């Protein structure tokens, strides 16, 4: 058995949730925050048989798209701001960041 942890953008989370349910995958959704952009994203915990992981990865890939997002620059605190250029920077986020972990034991009481 494997635990698949997938960090996806909030905009994709409902579509992915529906696709997981439709394809008989069980999942838990956690509200999370990206460390870099500090904006909300969604983390899915999905426990599944190892043999189903390729199908699951394909499902995640099909339902999550990458987007360009502007990052607001953080102004320098208390320092000399003369050389500071307040241009927003564009970063590409997602489709999905996925970790596949081995499960030592699984219990469902
Ligand atoms: P954030 O940390 O908010 O990162 C959003 C996007 O900003 C990243 O997209 C990447 O394009 C960029 N970025 C992140 N850190 C950067 C840095 N130090 N310098 C320059 N650009 C940087 P993704 O790579 O698609 O990541 C989307 C979200 O997935 C991340 O949101 C984070 O919540 C999660 N994530 C990504 N890699 C991770 C990892 N190794 N461990 C845990 N979570 C991760």
């Amino acid at each position: 058995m494997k635990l698949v942890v997938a960090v996806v953008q909030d905009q994709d989370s409902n579509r992915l949730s529906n696709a997981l349910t439709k394809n008989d995958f069980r999942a838990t959704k956690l509200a999370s925050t990206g460390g870099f952009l500090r904006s909300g994203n969604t983390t899915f915990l999905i426990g599944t048989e190892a043999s189903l992981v390729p199908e699951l990865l394909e499902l995640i890939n099909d339902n999550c798209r990458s987007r360009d997002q502007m990052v607001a620059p953080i102004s320098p605190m208390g320092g000399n701001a003369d050389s500071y250029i307040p241009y927003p920077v564009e970063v590409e986020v997602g489709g999905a960041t996925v970790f596949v972990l081995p499960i030592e034991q699984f219990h469902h009481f």
Side-chain angles (χ1 to χ4, degrees), residues 50-108:
S51 61
L52 294 174
V53 168
E55 182 191 335
L56 175 57
L57 293 178
E58 202 178 315
L59 207 63
I60 295 171
N61 189 21
D62 287 349
N63 285 280
C64 300
R65 42 183 91 110
S66 63
R67 298 179 181 86
D68 291 331
Q69 207 161 311
M70 299 306 280
V71 186
I74 301 164
S75 59
M77 295 277 287
N80 182 351
D82 289 349
S83 59
Y84 170 67
I85 306 165
Y87 295 138
V89 181
E90 197 171 67
V91 294
E92 185 181 297
V93 186
T97 301
V98 182
F99 306 88
V100 180
L101 293 82
I103 299 295
E104 204 163 296
Q105 290 187 20
F106 170 74
H107 301 284
H108 188 216

Side-chain angles (χ1 to χ4, degrees), residues 24-60:
D24 273 341
F25 287 104
R26 295 186 178 203
T28 298
K29 268 167 75 173
L30 306 174
S32 44
T33 304
F36 186 68
L37 293 180
R38 289 157 203 213
S39 61
N41 51 29
T42 303
T43 299
F44 284 83
L45 304 180
I46 309 157
T48 190
E49 293 307 324
S51 61
L52 294 174
V53 168
E55 182 191 335
L56 175 57
L57 293 178
E58 202 178 315
L59 207 63
I60 295 171

